Amino acid sequence: MRALGLDDLIDPPCIHAWLGPGSLAVGYVLKDVFNFVLTCSSDGESEVFLGPREVEEEDLRAVFRQWDPKIRTLVENGHGYLKWPLLDNSQTELSSWVHAAPEDKLSLALVGDSAHAIGPYIGAALGFESATVLGKILAQARQQADIPAMLRLYESLRRPRTDLVRGVTQKMAREWMLPDGPLQVDRDDIFVHEGTPLQGYPNALQDPFSQRWLYSFDGEKEALEAWRLYRENCPMY
Ligand SMILES: Cc1cc2nc3c(=O)[nH]c(=O)nc-3n(C[C@H](O)[C@H](O)[C@H](O)COP(=O)(O)OP(=O)(O)OC[C@H]3O[C@@H](n4cnc5c(N)ncnc54)[C@H](O)[C@@H]3O)c2cc1C
């Protein structure tokens, strides 16, 4: 990076973002690697696929030909580019993530992207949160018969939060990938001129409310508290 004259992207280490119409580029240091994520529309893709695929560098260069010279330098000199599809399931959302079966049958719960996929813009780590909550609740089970109620409790605890995080993410994606025009000019003006970010700031990574709310989540504490309340109100216990 230094040899390429891109010192300012790694020193000091922080997140750099370039906002464009329908596209977004984000770069950040991960140990000794500069990870560079480019998001763009899938218009023109003939095929839907799952998981990462190698991407032709020529195709990548074509997408970002008009962008900041720093991005072009990165694209020219980087390697190992992978293409990931970002599939939006918000229109086809499952009515439930849980199949809570009677005692002698198998129950099932979805965790992570299969239950609540969101765009990768705010690093919300919702899958880890859900796994923590589910694990902590299940660890309190005393008998097989507890499991269906526990799975339902897990979903009731997670849905409101994952829905809210999805909303924040969709808003951020819309604002960050605005087409050129008056709204984009207003957004850029706020980024350039607004001194202290306040609640509702168009960069959720700097919005003090969303930062505190998003990253102070304590899955173990929430799960144990919810289970305690459930037990208090359940005649079975
Ligand atoms: C480019 C990109 C950047 C991201 N950046 C961030 C970030 O900075 N911070 C953040 O918090 N999140 C980020 N995310 C989102 C994050 O990666 C996901 O939310 C997370 O990986 C979800 O975990 P998961 O275990 O639910 O699903 P996955 O990680 O998708 O795991 C599902 C697994 O199931 C396997 N599988 C699928 N079908 C089958 C089958 N039939 N049989 C067996 N195995 C199967 C898949 O191969 C895969 O290994 C990013 C996502 C992308 C695509």
Side-chain angles (χ1 to χ4, degrees):
M1 293 292 280
R2 290 193 202 291
L4 297 171
L6 299 174
D7 312 45
D8 59 330
L9 296 186
I10 53 172
D11 201 10
C14 56
I15 300 173
H16 294 266
W18 292 258
L19 317 185
S23 339
L24 174 67
V26 178
Y28 47 89
V29 175
L30 282 178
K31 288 197 175 167
D32 53 354
V33 168
F34 187 75
N35 198 41
F36 192 47
V37 183
L38 312 165
T39 306
C40 62
S41 153
S42 59
D43 288 352
E45 287 282 345
S46 52
E47 193 191 350
V48 174
F49 58 96
L50 299 174
R53 278 188 179 178
E54 281 185 24
V55 61
E56 294 294 328
E57 285 176 27
E58 195 44 52
D59 295 346
L60 203 55
R61 281 195 204 108
V63 171
F64 291 94
R65 192 160 283 144
Q66 310 283 330
W67 285 53
D68 182 350
K70 283 183 188 169
I71 293 193
R72 298 209 304 269
T73 307
L74 278 170
V75 171
E76 293 287 335
N77 291 279
H79 56 85
Y81 290 113
L82 294 173
K83 177 155 80 168
W84 295 72
L86 297 177
L87 304 170
D88 180 356
N89 68 352
S90 54
Q91 305 298 316
T92 53
E93 209 176 340
L94 296 170
S95 57
S96 176
W97 309 338
V98 165
H99 174 66
E103 204 175 326
D104 56 331
K105 300 274 187 326
L106 195 66
S107 289
L108 180 129
L110 297 177
V111 183
D113 277 9
S114 57
H116 45 65
I118 58 164
Y121 306 117
I122 54 175
L126 290 179
F128 284 111
E129 286 186 6
S130 289
T132 304
V133 168
L134 181 59
K136 203 68 196 176
I137 293 177
L138 288 177
Q140 315 307 312
R142 294 193 298 204
Q143 56 206 352
Q144 177 82 17
D146 293 341
I147 305 287
M150 287 179 149
L151 297 187
R152 282 192 287 264
L153 180 65
Y154 149 74
E155 179 169 6
S156 69
L157 212 51
R158 294 301 294 153
R159 278 256 186 193
R161 182 170 167 89
T162 56
D163 283 351
L164 263 171
V165 176
R166 172 182 285 156
V168 172
T169 307
Q170 287 171 337
K171 176 173 176 289
M172 185 163 161
R174 266 195 314 275
E175 290 175 350
W176 280 33
M177 293 191 258
L178 280 171
D180 289 344
L183 287 175
Q184 162 262 323
V185 172
D186 282 355
R187 176 203 64 197
D188 293 355
D189 201 47
I190 292 173
F191 280 151
V192 173
H193 296 298
E194 203 150 291
T196 311
L198 300 172
Q199 188 172 334
Y201 192 66
N203 178 4
L205 297 173
Q206 281 190 298
D207 176 328
F209 172 78
S210 73
Q211 285 291 294
R212 215 172 30 250
W213 179 77
L214 198 57
Y215 300 117
S216 64
F217 180 79
D218 185 337
E220 291 194 359
K221 197 169 145 212
E222 295 243 348
L224 289 177
E225 178 61 9
W227 182 241
R228 187 185 67 74
L229 286 174
Y230 177 82
R231 262 194 342 212
E232 272 177 22
N233 294 303
C234 179
M236 198 173 126
Y237 281 90

